[in-house]
Amino acid sequence: MFDLRILSVKIKNFRGIKGEVTLPLDAGLTVIYAVNGTGKSTLCHAVEWVLTGEVAEVPADALVCHFATGTTEVTCVCLLDGKKTTLVRTLQGATLQTEEGEERHIKDDELLAMLTPAEAGLKARSNIATRNKREWLRHSRWLYSHSLALLVDEAESEQRSQIFANILGYGHLLPQQKLLMDYLRHLPHSVSLYKKLRDTETKRQELEQKREHYGILATRTEERLTALCDALRIPRENVPPRTQLDRALMTLQIRQFDHQLQQTRYRQLAETWESAHYAEKELTLADQKHLYFESEIRSREEKQSERKTQIRALKHHIAEVNHQRDRVTETLTTLNNQWEMVSERVFETIGEYPDRLTLAQLQAMVPESHLSSAMSGKRLSLLHKALAVHRACWLDEDTRKEWQEYILEYSDEAPLKARGERFQVLREKRDSFRFRQIHLNDTLTQLMNLGERIVSHSGETHCPLCSHDWEGNASLMEAIRQSESMLSPALQALKTELQQTEEEMGQLREEIRDLKVKRDRATSYQERLRRADKTFLEQKALLDVEWLTPLTPETWRHETLENYLTRLNMGRMIAEFADKIRQAERLLDDQTLRNDVALGDLPEEYSSRLTTTQRTHDILLTNLARQQAELELKLGQESVLLNELISERNHIEIVLRGYRETWDSFRTLWDSFTGNSPVSQKTLSEYKNTLDSDLTADENITLLYEKAKIAVHAAAAGEDYILLLSEEKELRQRIELQAKRKQVANVALSEVTHEIEKLADARINELIVPASELFSRMHANEVYKGLNIAGKGELRWRALVEGPGDNDDALVADSYFSQGQRQDLALSLYLARARSLGGTFFLDEPVAHLDDLNRAAMVDIFRVLSVQNPDMNLVLTTNSDLLRRHLIQKYALLSDQALTVITMTGNPHQGVDVTVSSTGRRPHFPDNRLPAPVW
C-alpha cells in the first residue's frame, strides 16, 4: 500500500506560518505563488513532516513558528489506496482517522510501511529500515533542489536504481543482489588455508622419514633426563619429559649466565689490579700533602681576618671624623644664616638690630622664645584656627550696627499686614464694581436689542414695555434710542469708580512688594548675624587660653591675632638660633653657653673656633688614610700567597679524588666476590681456579642436555605425527566447504542478476519513453534525440545524438550536459516517474533554472500532464508572477478545477493570508497519449 493522493492540508503554527491556514491540493495542478519568505516551502515541509515524522536538514526545534503561540499541528486529508484518511501530527506524535470514524495513534514506522513498498528497508535493522523508507518516500514525492543530483549524477546511481526498480516492479530483487555480493565480498580467501596445508604436509613427511631412527633413542629418555637433573642438582619431577627438559634448560641457562657474570667481573679485577695498587700507595702521600696545605691556609686566613678587622675599624673611624667635620661645616653655615634671619625679624618688630644684645636679653624681650617646640607648635595651630574662624564669621562694628538698625526698622510685620488688609478690601470692592458693570451692560444691551427687533419687525406704535402709543413706528424707534443714551451716564460713572479702585490697588501692590523685599533682607541680615555669633561661640573654646587676651564678637580683631602669630614665629626662630649655638658649643667641647657675649660677635667667634676644628679633622683624616693604605697593601700581598696555597690544595684534592675513586671502585668489585676479605694476589688466583672448574662443569652439563633433548624429541615424534595428520584433515575439509559456499553464492548471484537484467530490459521503456518525450519537449534547443541507459539495471543516463552513418552516439549526461540541461533531465525523469507511480507530488521552485522559452514549454507540459492523468496531482511552488499568469492563461479554456492557484501574502511575524482561485477542467484522452503542445 503506497498509493498516496493528498486532497488538502491544514497548517497551524508551523515553521513560517503563524496561525492556521487550509490549502486545497485536489486539483490536477496546484500552484503556490508567494514572494520569498512568505511560506511556500513551509507547505512542502509540513506535508513531509506529517508523513515521515521529520524534515530533512531542518532541526526539530525549528519546526515551531517563532512568532506564534499555541500548539503546532499539521492535518492532511488524503486517499490511501482509494480510502479517505486523515493524518494529524503534533509535536507529541501522529494520529490516523479512517472514513469509518476510527481514530488511533500511529507510529512512524507503521505509517511509513503503509506509504512505501516492502522492499524499501528490507532485511535491515529497525532504525535503518525506518531511515531507508523515509528516504524513499522523500525522493519519490518531493523534488527539492538537492534531489536533482539523485536523479542525474552517476555517483547516485545505486539509490536511484532502487527507487525506479520499485516503480518498475523488480525492487525486491536489488536487496537480494546486494546481500549476495556482500556475502561473496566478505568470504575469507583460500590462499592462507592452502599455504597452511602445504606446510603441514611437509612437516608430516619429514616426521614420517625420521620415525624409525627416533624409535631407538626414545627408550633412553628417562635415563638421560635423570642424569641431567642430577648434574644440575634439581629434583626429577613427575611431569611430561618435554616439561622436565624445559625446566632443566632454564636452570642451565641461569647457571651459565651467573658464571659468565663472574667471569666478566674477574676480568675487570685483573685489568684494574695494577692501577688499584698504585692508587693505594699514592693516597697516603697525597693525604699528607693535603693536611699540610690545609694547616697553612687556615693560618693565613686568620691573619687576613685580623687585617680586615683593622681596616674596618680604620674605615669606621674615618667615617666618624668625616661626619664630625660635616656637622661642623653645616653648623657654621646654619648659624650664620639663622643669625641673619633673626636679626632681620627683630629689626622688623622693634625697629633696631640686636647686634649689641646678649641672647638672654633677646629672650627676655620675646618670652615666646622660652617655649618648647611642642608648646610652640600647639599655639601656632590654635592661632591658625582662630584666624580661620575670624575670616569665616567676623563682622566689623559699623556693618553690625547698620544691620541691626535695618533689622529693627523693617522686621516689623504690622505695616505689611495693614496694607494687605486694605488691599483685600479694595479687591472686594473692585469685584463688586465689575459684577455691576457686567450686569448693567448685559441688561441694557439685551433690552435695546429686543425692543428694536420687535418694533422693526412688527411695525407697532405701542411700546412693548409700557404700552404707550407713540403714534408711529419711527417715533417709537427714536424713543428707544434716547432711553439708551439716558442709561449711559450711570454706566460711565461706574467705570470711573472701578478705574480709581484698580489704580489704588496697583499702588498698594507695589508698596507690599517693596516691604516684602526689605523684610526678607532684614531676615537675611538677622540670620547672618545669628550664624556669625553661633560660629564664634562654637570656636571660642579653641582660643580660651591664658596666654591669649579674652575675645568677644565686638572686640575680636584680625590685627590682634596677627600680632600673636608674628611674636610666636619670632620666638620659635630665636629658640632655634639658641639651639644651634648650643650645638656649636658641643662640637667645640664647650658645654657652657656664653650669655655675656653680644649676639653680633657670636658668629665671628664661633666661625674662628669651628675653622680650627676643621683643620684638626683634616690632619686626622690624612693620617688615618695613610694607615688604611698600608694595611690594604699588606692584605693584598697576603691574599696572593693565600690564593697560591689554595690552588695547590685544590690540585692535590683533584688528584686525591681520582686515586680514591679508582681504589673505591676496585674495592667494591673485590668485596662483591670475596666477601670483604683482604686484598691479595693469592686470593685472586684461588678465585680464578674456581671459575675455571665451574665453566668445565657447565660444558659437561650442556652435553648431557643435548643428549636428553634428542631422546625427548624422539619420544615426542610419534605424538606430533598424529597431530599433523588430524590438522591436515581439518584444513582439507575447510577448503572444500569454502569452495562449495562460494560456488553456491555465485550461482545465486548469477540467477538474480539475470532476472534483474531481464525485467529491466522488459520494463525500462516504461520510464525512458515518457522521460525522453518530456525532455525533448522541455529542451527548446534540440541537440539530443532522446535518452538511454548504460549498465543493465543501473540507470546510468546517456543522451543520444546523431553519429556517423545510421548509428547514434550515447554521451554521459553527467559529463556532457550543462547545469541547466542536467536540471531539465532531472525534472523530466521526476515527472515520468510520477506518471508511473501516481498520487500527489511536490515540486519546490522547479522552473527557476529555466530560460523564458523552456519555461513556456514546461508550462505546456504541466497542463498536459495535469489534465491527462486524473490519478496524479502536482503541487508547484513559485515566486514568479509571470509563471502564475501564464498558467492561468493556459488553463482558461478548461473547467472542473484542473488548476488551483493559491496566493500567499504576509510574513511569519504578522501572519499569512491565503487566496484560492480555481479554473480549467480535465479532459479525457482514450489513447492515453500526450497531445501536441500548444504554444
Side-chain angles (χ1 to χ4, degrees):
M1 179 194 297
F2 53 95
D3 183 11
L4 172 65
R5 185 172 180 182
I6 299 175
L7 302 179
S8 66
V9 62
K10 181 173 68 175
I11 306 171
K12 181 179 179 182
N13 298 331
F14 179 83
R15 295 281 289 160
I17 294 181
K18 177 183 178 182
E20 180 178 316
V21 297
T22 301
L23 306 175
L25 305 178
D26 55 342
L29 177 63
T30 301
V31 178
I32 311 295
Y33 166 71
V35 299
N36 291 334
T38 307
K40 303 187 302 297
S41 299
T42 297
L43 167 64
C44 300
H45 291 159
V47 179
E48 181 179 349
W49 182 56
V50 76
L51 296 180
T52 67
E54 64 179 30
V55 180
E57 301 178 0
V58 175
D61 56 353
L63 297 177
V64 180
C65 181
H66 178 73
F67 303 98
T69 57
T71 60
T72 297
E73 179 180 302
V74 178
T75 303
C76 182
V77 180
C78 56
L79 294 177
L80 291 179
D81 283 351
K83 297 181 179 180
K84 188 175 181 180
T85 306
T86 302
L87 295 172
V88 181
R89 182 177 292 277
T90 64
L91 296 176
Q92 287 70 38
T95 304
L96 183 143
Q97 302 173 4
T98 63
E99 58 184 349
E100 291 83 8
E102 180 185 356
E103 181 177 351
R104 63 185 179 89
H105 293 285
I106 185 169
K107 295 183 178 179
D108 291 345
D109 53 356
E110 182 183 356
L111 179 59
L112 289 170
M114 297 169 61
L115 302 176
T116 58
E119 293 81 9
L122 183 65
K123 294 184 179 180
R125 292 194 301 271
S126 60
N127 59 336
I128 298 178
T130 302
R131 183 186 64 191
N132 292 340
K133 287 180 178 294
R134 280 196 180 102
E135 291 295 325
W136 189 94
L137 184 61
R138 183 178 296 116
H139 295 310
S140 299
R141 297 289 175 182
W142 287 269
L143 180 64
Y144 295 113
S145 59
H146 62 271
S147 302
L148 300 176
L150 174 65
L151 295 171
V152 177
D153 291 355
E154 296 283 304
E156 304 290 343
S157 62
E158 182 177 349
Q159 189 175 1
R160 180 171 64 249
S161 299
Q162 179 64 62
I163 294 174
F164 282 95
N166 292 333
I167 297 172
L168 298 176
Y170 59 90
H172 61 287
L173 296 178
L174 292 183
Q176 297 179 12
Q177 184 188 37
K178 188 175 185 302
L179 288 174
L180 288 172
M181 294 173 65
D182 291 342
Y183 176 77
L184 285 171
R185 186 170 61 253
H186 289 92
L187 278 177
H189 296 287
S190 303
V191 177
S192 60
L193 293 177
Y194 278 113
K195 183 177 182 302
K196 191 173 183 180
L197 179 61
R198 288 194 298 269
D199 294 342
T200 304
E201 289 177 345
T202 302
K203 291 180 182 179
R204 179 182 58 77
Q205 292 172 2
E206 291 176 355
L207 284 178
E208 193 172 2
Q209 294 175 1
K210 297 178 180 179
R211 285 182 65 187
E212 296 181 0
H213 176 67
Y214 282 166
I216 301 173
L217 296 175
T219 57
R220 304 184 64 183
T221 301
E222 188 64 30
E223 175 187 351
R224 293 184 175 181
L225 279 176
T226 304
L228 178 61
C229 292
D230 293 341
L232 291 173
R233 298 178 183 178
I234 59 175
R236 176 67 175 92
E237 301 177 8
N238 187 19
V239 293
R242 185 169 291 179
T243 304
Q244 186 66 58
L245 183 66
D246 292 339
R247 293 178 181 177
L249 176 60
M250 185 181 298
T251 305
L252 176 60
Q253 290 174 346
I254 293 173
R255 175 186 173 91
Q256 288 176 343
F257 177 77
D258 184 56
H259 290 162
Q260 290 174 2
L261 181 60
Q262 293 181 8
Q263 185 72 18
T264 301
R265 291 177 178 175
Y266 170 75
R267 284 196 297 270
Q268 292 176 353
L269 283 174
E271 291 171 357
T272 58
W273 178 267
E274 294 297 333
S275 60
H277 272 276
Y278 178 78
E280 184 183 16
K281 294 177 182 178
E282 293 295 327
L283 272 175
T284 304
L285 296 176
D287 281 337
Q288 293 176 358
K289 290 182 180 180
H290 186 264
L291 291 174
Y292 167 75
F293 281 112
E294 283 288 342
S295 176
E296 285 294 321
I297 288 171
R298 280 195 299 271
S299 175
R300 294 187 180 276
E301 285 178 347
E302 291 175 357
K303 289 182 180 180
Q304 274 199 342
S305 179
E306 293 177 0
R307 299 285 188 196
K308 290 178 180 179
T309 302
Q310 293 174 359
I311 291 173
R312 281 196 297 272
L314 279 174
K315 288 181 177 179
H316 181 67
H317 192 187
I318 291 171
E320 289 182 349
V321 173
N322 278 325
H323 179 65
Q324 193 76 5
R325 183 176 180 276
D326 293 340
R327 287 181 62 192
V328 169
T329 303
E330 179 188 359
T331 301
L332 180 59
T333 303
T334 304
L335 190 63
N336 290 331
N337 293 337
Q338 286 191 348
W339 166 244
E340 292 178 359
M341 293 171 61
V342 169
S343 178
E344 291 295 332
R345 181 59 63 86
V346 171
F347 177 78
E348 292 174 358
T349 304
I350 64 176
E352 60 177 330
Y353 288 100
D355 293 350
R356 308 319 312 160
L357 296 176
T358 64
L359 181 60
Q361 292 172 346
L362 183 60
Q363 288 177 334
M365 290 177 62
V366 185
E368 288 81 3
S369 62
H370 293 288
L371 297 175
S372 64
S373 177
M375 180 61 69
S376 177
K378 184 177 180 181
R379 291 189 178 184
L380 273 177
S381 176
L382 289 174
L383 283 174
H384 283 300
K385 289 181 180 179
L387 286 171
V389 172
H390 184 273
R391 284 191 295 270
C393 62
W394 182 79
L395 296 172
D396 58 77
E397 189 64 24
D398 295 337
T399 302
R400 179 179 289 270
K401 184 177 180 180
E402 180 183 352
W403 284 9
Q404 288 174 350
E405 292 175 354
Y406 194 92
I407 290 169
L408 289 175
E409 183 178 357
Y410 296 109
S411 61
D412 188 9
E413 294 286 342
L416 183 61
K417 184 177 180 181
R419 285 173 174 80
E421 292 174 352
R422 174 59 181 168
F423 184 81
Q424 185 65 27
V425 171
L426 291 175
R427 178 184 292 176
E428 293 174 355
K429 184 178 180 180
R430 181 201 63 185
D431 294 342
S432 175
F433 286 161
R434 284 182 176 177
F435 177 78
R436 289 168 60 192
Q437 182 185 17
I438 293 172
H439 180 70
L440 187 58
N441 272 328
D442 291 344
T443 302
L444 178 62
T445 302
Q446 291 175 5
L447 286 174
M448 294 301 105
N449 291 337
L450 180 61
E452 288 181 359
R453 187 166 59 252
I454 292 173
V455 172
S456 63
H457 283 80
S458 62
E460 288 288 336
T461 59
H462 292 82
C463 177
L465 295 178
C466 63
S467 301
H468 178 73
D469 186 6
W470 290 89
E471 297 179 358
N473 183 265
S475 300
L476 180 59
M477 292 289 293
E478 183 64 25
I480 290 174
R481 294 189 184 96
Q482 290 178 359
S483 64
E484 181 180 3
S485 61
M486 291 172 62
L487 292 174
S488 296
L491 182 61
Q492 187 64 35
L494 187 60
K495 288 182 179 179
T496 302
E497 291 182 4
L498 177 61
Q499 184 177 1
Q500 293 175 355
T501 302
E502 287 180 346
E503 289 177 355
E504 186 178 357
M505 286 179 66
Q507 293 175 359
L508 279 176
R509 189 180 290 109
E510 292 295 328
E511 292 178 3
I512 291 173
R513 185 181 296 110
D514 184 59
L515 286 175
K516 284 184 177 181
V517 171
K518 292 180 178 180
R519 182 199 61 186
D520 293 341
R521 185 176 298 168
T523 303
S524 174
Y525 288 164
Q526 189 174 8
E527 179 63 22
R528 291 179 63 181
L529 287 172
R530 187 189 63 79
R531 285 202 306 268
D533 294 343
K534 182 180 178 182
T535 304
F536 175 80
L537 293 176
E538 290 175 352
Q539 301 296 331
K540 187 174 181 298
L542 297 173
L543 309 175
D544 193 8
V545 292
E546 67 278 0
W547 52 271
L548 194 62
T549 303
L551 300 175
T552 63
E554 293 76 14
T555 62
W556 200 4
R557 294 292 183 271
H558 184 273
E559 294 79 5
T560 306
L561 298 177
E562 288 291 346
N563 291 335
Y564 277 119
L565 185 61
T566 301
R567 292 179 60 83
L568 189 58
N569 285 329
M570 187 170 63
R572 286 170 61 88
M573 188 179 296
I574 294 171
E576 292 174 359
F577 179 67
D579 290 339
K580 281 299 177 181
I581 292 176
R582 294 188 185 91
Q583 185 178 354
E585 293 292 343
R586 287 194 295 273
L587 290 175
L588 297 172
D589 296 330
D590 188 356
Q591 300 299 326
T592 302
L593 181 63
R594 300 178 62 183
N595 294 325
D596 55 345
V597 180
L599 292 176
D601 299 334
L602 279 178
E604 183 178 357
E605 179 180 351
Y606 285 128
S607 176
S608 174
R609 295 172 63 186
L610 289 174
T611 302
T612 303
T613 303
Q614 284 181 341
R615 285 197 295 270
T616 304
H617 287 165
D618 292 340
I619 295 171
L620 180 59
L621 286 173
T622 301
N623 294 333
L624 292 175
R626 184 177 63 255
Q627 294 177 17
Q628 179 182 352
E630 292 175 355
L631 288 174
E632 288 178 348
L633 178 62
K634 292 179 181 180
L635 181 62
Q637 294 172 353
E638 292 174 355
S639 296
V640 173
L641 294 176
L642 179 61
N643 290 334
E644 292 176 356
L645 289 173
I646 291 174
S647 178
E648 289 292 334
R649 182 199 63 184
N650 293 340
H651 175 70
I652 292 174
E653 285 180 350
I654 294 171
V655 174
L656 188 62
R657 191 181 303 113
Y659 288 149
R660 185 171 287 110
E661 288 176 356
T662 301
W663 174 250
D664 290 344
S665 177
F666 177 81
R667 184 68 192 187
T668 301
L669 189 61
W670 178 271
D671 293 342
S672 64
F673 286 96
T674 62
N676 298 327
S677 60
V679 179
S680 65
Q681 185 66 39
K682 180 180 177 181
T683 305
L684 185 63
S685 299
E686 291 175 354
Y687 185 70
K688 175 65 171 63
N689 295 332
T690 302
L691 284 177
D692 291 342
S693 61
D694 289 340
L695 293 175
T696 303
D698 288 345
E699 292 175 359
N700 295 332
I701 294 173
T702 302
L703 182 60
L704 289 175
Y705 170 77
E706 293 296 332
K707 292 179 179 181
K709 179 180 178 182
I710 294 173
V712 170
H713 285 180
E719 300 175 1
D720 293 341
Y721 182 77
I722 295 172
L723 292 175
L724 287 174
L725 284 176
S726 176
E727 184 177 353
E728 183 179 348
K729 181 179 179 181
E730 181 182 356
L731 288 172
R732 291 184 184 278
Q733 291 176 351
R734 290 175 59 187
I735 292 173
E736 292 176 359
L737 179 61
Q738 185 171 329
K740 185 177 180 180
R741 289 175 176 173
K742 189 172 184 179
Q743 181 182 3
V744 172
N746 281 325
V747 171
L749 179 60
S750 177
E751 293 176 355
V752 172
T753 303
H754 177 71
E755 183 68 18
I756 290 174
E757 292 177 353
K758 183 174 70 174
L759 293 174
D761 290 341
R763 301 178 182 179
I764 195 62
N765 287 335
E766 299 176 11
L767 180 66
I768 292 181
V769 171
S772 298
E773 185 178 356
L774 290 171
F775 180 65
S776 298
R777 292 186 176 185
M778 186 186 307
H779 194 243
N781 187 8
E782 296 182 0
V783 177
Y784 304 103
K785 298 175 62 177
L787 299 175
N788 204 341
I789 59 172
K792 296 180 178 179
E794 296 182 2
L795 294 178
R796 299 179 183 271
W797 304 111
R798 301 292 183 265
L800 299 179
V801 298
E802 292 184 358
D806 296 332
N807 298 324
D808 293 333
D809 292 338
L811 304 179
V812 180
D814 193 11
S815 303
Y816 283 88
F817 277 9
S818 66
Q819 184 64 25
Q821 291 171 332
R822 284 158 49 85
Q823 293 174 341
D824 292 343
L825 175 59
L827 189 56
S828 301
L829 293 172
Y830 181 81
L831 294 175
R833 186 185 63 185
R835 289 185 61 194
S836 302
L837 190 60
T840 302
F841 300 89
F842 295 87
L843 297 89
D844 190 15
E845 298 282 0
V847 296
H849 64 281
L850 300 179
D851 53 28
D852 294 339
L853 191 59
N854 286 337
R855 185 180 294 111
M858 179 57 64
V859 167
D860 194 63
I861 291 174
F862 284 148
R863 181 182 67 85
V864 174
L865 286 175
S866 63
V867 300
Q868 181 188 8
N869 298 277
D871 59 343
M872 182 177 71
N873 299 71
L874 297 178
V875 180
L876 180 149
T877 67
T878 182
N879 61 0
S880 172
D881 183 58
L882 179 62
L883 177 63
R884 178 180 67 89
R885 290 187 284 106
H886 196 176
L887 284 169
I888 293 174
Q889 181 182 4
K890 286 290 185 180
Y891 280 81
L893 299 178
L894 303 179
S895 59
D896 298 335
Q897 297 183 354
L899 172 67
T900 296
V901 178
I902 299 176
T903 303
M904 303 174 67
T905 57
N907 55 60
H909 180 64
Q910 298 176 350
V912 176
D913 294 328
V914 174
T915 304
V916 181
S917 60
S918 301
T919 185
R921 61 182 178 88
R922 285 192 171 191
H924 177 64
F925 296 94
D927 55 354
N928 198 25
R929 291 176 57 83
L930 289 171
V934 180
W935 301 102

